[in-house]
mmCIF file with all atom_site columns, all heavy atoms in Angstrom:
data_model
loop_
_atom_site.group_PDB
_atom_site.id
_atom_site.type_symbol
_atom_site.label_atom_id
_atom_site.label_alt_id
_atom_site.label_comp_id
_atom_site.label_asym_id
_atom_site.label_entity_id
_atom_site.label_seq_id
_atom_site.pdbx_PDB_ins_code
_atom_site.Cartn_x
_atom_site.Cartn_y
_atom_site.Cartn_z
_atom_site.occupancy
_atom_site.B_iso_or_equiv
_atom_site.pdbx_formal_charge
_atom_site.auth_seq_id
_atom_site.auth_comp_id
_atom_site.auth_asym_id
_atom_site.auth_atom_id
_atom_site.pdbx_PDB_model_num
ATOM 1  N N   . LYS A 1 43 ? 14.673 16.428 0.066   1.00 0.00 ? 43 LYS A N   1
ATOM 2  C CA  . LYS A 1 43 ? 15.893 15.820 -0.467  1.00 0.00 ? 43 LYS A CA  1
ATOM 3  C C   . LYS A 1 43 ? 15.985 14.368 -0.050  1.00 0.00 ? 43 LYS A C   1
ATOM 4  O O   . LYS A 1 43 ? 15.710 14.013 1.099   1.00 0.00 ? 43 LYS A O   1
ATOM 5  C CB  . LYS A 1 43 ? 17.120 16.589 0.026   1.00 0.00 ? 43 LYS A CB  1
ATOM 6  C CG  . LYS A 1 43 ? 18.434 16.080 -0.564  1.00 0.00 ? 43 LYS A CG  1
ATOM 7  C CD  . LYS A 1 43 ? 19.622 16.924 -0.115  1.00 0.00 ? 43 LYS A CD  1
ATOM 8  C CE  . LYS A 1 43 ? 19.947 16.672 1.331   1.00 0.00 ? 43 LYS A CE  1
ATOM 9  N NZ  . LYS A 1 43 ? 21.193 17.341 1.745   1.00 0.00 ? 43 LYS A NZ  1
ATOM 10 N N   . ILE A 1 44 ? 16.370 13.513 -0.997  1.00 0.00 ? 44 ILE A N   1
ATOM 11 C CA  . ILE A 1 44 ? 16.560 12.094 -0.703  1.00 0.00 ? 44 ILE A CA  1
ATOM 12 C C   . ILE A 1 44 ? 17.886 11.932 0.049   1.00 0.00 ? 44 ILE A C   1
ATOM 13 O O   . ILE A 1 44 ? 18.955 12.176 -0.501  1.00 0.00 ? 44 ILE A O   1
ATOM 14 C CB  . ILE A 1 44 ? 16.564 11.250 -1.984  1.00 0.00 ? 44 ILE A CB  1
ATOM 15 C CG1 . ILE A 1 44 ? 15.233 11.421 -2.750  1.00 0.00 ? 44 ILE A CG1 1
ATOM 16 C CG2 . ILE A 1 44 ? 16.800 9.781  -1.669  1.00 0.00 ? 44 ILE A CG2 1
ATOM 17 C CD1 . ILE A 1 44 ? 15.208 10.737 -4.101  1.00 0.00 ? 44 ILE A CD1 1
ATOM 18 N N   . GLU A 1 45 ? 17.797 11.532 1.320   1.00 0.00 ? 45 GLU A N   1
ATOM 19 C CA  . GLU A 1 45 ? 18.998 11.357 2.135   1.00 0.00 ? 45 GLU A CA  1
ATOM 20 C C   . GLU A 1 45 ? 19.777 10.118 1.678   1.00 0.00 ? 45 GLU A C   1
ATOM 21 O O   . GLU A 1 45 ? 20.994 10.147 1.559   1.00 0.00 ? 45 GLU A O   1
ATOM 22 C CB  . GLU A 1 45 ? 18.624 11.237 3.613   1.00 0.00 ? 45 GLU A CB  1
ATOM 23 C CG  . GLU A 1 45 ? 18.063 12.514 4.211   1.00 0.00 ? 45 GLU A CG  1
ATOM 24 C CD  . GLU A 1 45 ? 19.109 13.623 4.271   1.00 0.00 ? 45 GLU A CD  1
ATOM 25 O OE1 . GLU A 1 45 ? 20.295 13.322 4.447   1.00 0.00 ? 45 GLU A OE1 1
ATOM 26 O OE2 . GLU A 1 45 ? 18.723 14.801 4.105   1.00 0.00 ? 45 GLU A OE2 1
ATOM 27 N N   . TYR A 1 46 ? 19.059 9.032  1.464   1.00 0.00 ? 46 TYR A N   1
ATOM 28 C CA  . TYR A 1 46 ? 19.705 7.824  0.923   1.00 0.00 ? 46 TYR A CA  1
ATOM 29 C C   . TYR A 1 46 ? 18.662 6.945  0.244   1.00 0.00 ? 46 TYR A C   1
ATOM 30 O O   . TYR A 1 46 ? 17.470 7.024  0.549   1.00 0.00 ? 46 TYR A O   1
ATOM 31 C CB  . TYR A 1 46 ? 20.445 7.041  2.023   1.00 0.00 ? 46 TYR A CB  1
ATOM 32 C CG  . TYR A 1 46 ? 19.554 6.374  3.048   1.00 0.00 ? 46 TYR A CG  1
ATOM 33 C CD1 . TYR A 1 46 ? 19.075 5.080  2.868   1.00 0.00 ? 46 TYR A CD1 1
ATOM 34 C CD2 . TYR A 1 46 ? 19.232 7.026  4.239   1.00 0.00 ? 46 TYR A CD2 1
ATOM 35 C CE1 . TYR A 1 46 ? 18.283 4.468  3.819   1.00 0.00 ? 46 TYR A CE1 1
ATOM 36 C CE2 . TYR A 1 46 ? 18.445 6.420  5.203   1.00 0.00 ? 46 TYR A CE2 1
ATOM 37 C CZ  . TYR A 1 46 ? 17.970 5.132  4.987   1.00 0.00 ? 46 TYR A CZ  1
ATOM 38 O OH  . TYR A 1 46 ? 17.178 4.517  5.913   1.00 0.00 ? 46 TYR A OH  1
ATOM 39 N N   . LEU A 1 47 ? 19.131 6.133  -0.697  1.00 0.00 ? 47 LEU A N   1
ATOM 40 C CA  . LEU A 1 47 ? 18.277 5.187  -1.426  1.00 0.00 ? 47 LEU A CA  1
ATOM 41 C C   . LEU A 1 47 ? 19.121 3.972  -1.740  1.00 0.00 ? 47 LEU A C   1
ATOM 42 O O   . LEU A 1 47 ? 19.842 3.920  -2.734  1.00 0.00 ? 47 LEU A O   1
ATOM 43 C CB  . LEU A 1 47 ? 17.740 5.828  -2.711  1.00 0.00 ? 47 LEU A CB  1
ATOM 44 C CG  . LEU A 1 47 ? 16.685 5.021  -3.490  1.00 0.00 ? 47 LEU A CG  1
ATOM 45 C CD1 . LEU A 1 47 ? 15.462 4.752  -2.620  1.00 0.00 ? 47 LEU A CD1 1
ATOM 46 C CD2 . LEU A 1 47 ? 16.271 5.769  -4.758  1.00 0.00 ? 47 LEU A CD2 1
ATOM 47 N N   . LYS A 1 48 ? 19.059 2.988  -0.841  1.00 0.00 ? 48 LYS A N   1
ATOM 48 C CA  . LYS A 1 48 ? 19.956 1.834  -0.905  1.00 0.00 ? 48 LYS A CA  1
ATOM 49 C C   . LYS A 1 48 ? 19.363 0.733  -1.785  1.00 0.00 ? 48 LYS A C   1
ATOM 50 O O   . LYS A 1 48 ? 18.827 -0.265 -1.297  1.00 0.00 ? 48 LYS A O   1
ATOM 51 C CB  . LYS A 1 48 ? 20.220 1.302  0.498   1.00 0.00 ? 48 LYS A CB  1
ATOM 52 C CG  . LYS A 1 48 ? 20.984 2.272  1.405   1.00 0.00 ? 48 LYS A CG  1
ATOM 53 C CD  . LYS A 1 48 ? 21.230 1.669  2.777   1.00 0.00 ? 48 LYS A CD  1
ATOM 54 C CE  . LYS A 1 48 ? 22.007 2.615  3.668   1.00 0.00 ? 48 LYS A CE  1
ATOM 55 N NZ  . LYS A 1 48 ? 22.226 2.062  5.013   1.00 0.00 ? 48 LYS A NZ  1
ATOM 56 N N   . LEU A 1 49 ? 19.461 0.920  -3.076  1.00 0.00 ? 49 LEU A N   1
ATOM 57 C CA  . LEU A 1 49 ? 19.056 -0.115 -4.021  1.00 0.00 ? 49 LEU A CA  1
ATOM 58 C C   . LEU A 1 49 ? 19.659 0.182  -5.378  1.00 0.00 ? 49 LEU A C   1
ATOM 59 O O   . LEU A 1 49 ? 19.961 1.322  -5.710  1.00 0.00 ? 49 LEU A O   1
ATOM 60 C CB  . LEU A 1 49 ? 17.521 -0.203 -4.118  1.00 0.00 ? 49 LEU A CB  1
ATOM 61 C CG  . LEU A 1 49 ? 16.733 1.056  -4.514  1.00 0.00 ? 49 LEU A CG  1
ATOM 62 C CD1 . LEU A 1 49 ? 16.615 1.201  -6.031  1.00 0.00 ? 49 LEU A CD1 1
ATOM 63 C CD2 . LEU A 1 49 ? 15.345 1.013  -3.910  1.00 0.00 ? 49 LEU A CD2 1
ATOM 64 N N   . GLU A 1 50 ? 19.830 -0.871 -6.163  1.00 0.00 ? 50 GLU A N   1
ATOM 65 C CA  . GLU A 1 50 ? 20.312 -0.762 -7.529  1.00 0.00 ? 50 GLU A CA  1
ATOM 66 C C   . GLU A 1 50 ? 19.496 -1.690 -8.399  1.00 0.00 ? 50 GLU A C   1
ATOM 67 O O   . GLU A 1 50 ? 18.832 -2.625 -7.913  1.00 0.00 ? 50 GLU A O   1
ATOM 68 C CB  . GLU A 1 50 ? 21.798 -1.133 -7.625  1.00 0.00 ? 50 GLU A CB  1
ATOM 69 C CG  . GLU A 1 50 ? 22.746 -0.220 -6.850  1.00 0.00 ? 50 GLU A CG  1
ATOM 70 C CD  . GLU A 1 50 ? 22.755 1.211  -7.356  1.00 0.00 ? 50 GLU A CD  1
ATOM 71 O OE1 . GLU A 1 50 ? 22.415 1.423  -8.544  1.00 0.00 ? 50 GLU A OE1 1
ATOM 72 O OE2 . GLU A 1 50 ? 23.107 2.115  -6.571  1.00 0.00 ? 50 GLU A OE2 1
ATOM 73 N N   . GLU A 1 51 ? 19.502 -1.428 -9.682  1.00 0.00 ? 51 GLU A N   1
ATOM 74 C CA  . GLU A 1 51 ? 18.754 -2.274 -10.611 1.00 0.00 ? 51 GLU A CA  1
ATOM 75 C C   . GLU A 1 51 ? 19.282 -3.711 -10.558 1.00 0.00 ? 51 GLU A C   1
ATOM 76 O O   . GLU A 1 51 ? 20.487 -3.939 -10.607 1.00 0.00 ? 51 GLU A O   1
ATOM 77 C CB  . GLU A 1 51 ? 18.847 -1.723 -12.029 1.00 0.00 ? 51 GLU A CB  1
ATOM 78 C CG  . GLU A 1 51 ? 18.166 -0.365 -12.178 1.00 0.00 ? 51 GLU A CG  1
ATOM 79 C CD  . GLU A 1 51 ? 18.331 0.230  -13.557 1.00 0.00 ? 51 GLU A CD  1
ATOM 80 O OE1 . GLU A 1 51 ? 19.044 -0.372 -14.371 1.00 0.00 ? 51 GLU A OE1 1
ATOM 81 O OE2 . GLU A 1 51 ? 17.761 1.309  -13.825 1.00 0.00 ? 51 GLU A OE2 1
ATOM 82 N N   . GLY A 1 52 ? 18.369 -4.643 -10.415 1.00 0.00 ? 52 GLY A N   1
ATOM 83 C CA  . GLY A 1 52 ? 18.747 -6.046 -10.289 1.00 0.00 ? 52 GLY A CA  1
ATOM 84 C C   . GLY A 1 52 ? 18.749 -6.545 -8.862  1.00 0.00 ? 52 GLY A C   1
ATOM 85 O O   . GLY A 1 52 ? 18.811 -7.761 -8.626  1.00 0.00 ? 52 GLY A O   1
#
Side-chain angles (χ1 to χ4, degrees):
K43 184 177 72 173
I44 301 174
E45 292 294 327
Y46 69 89
L47 188 59
K48 295 181 179 179
L49 57 87
E50 296 296 336
E51 294 176 356

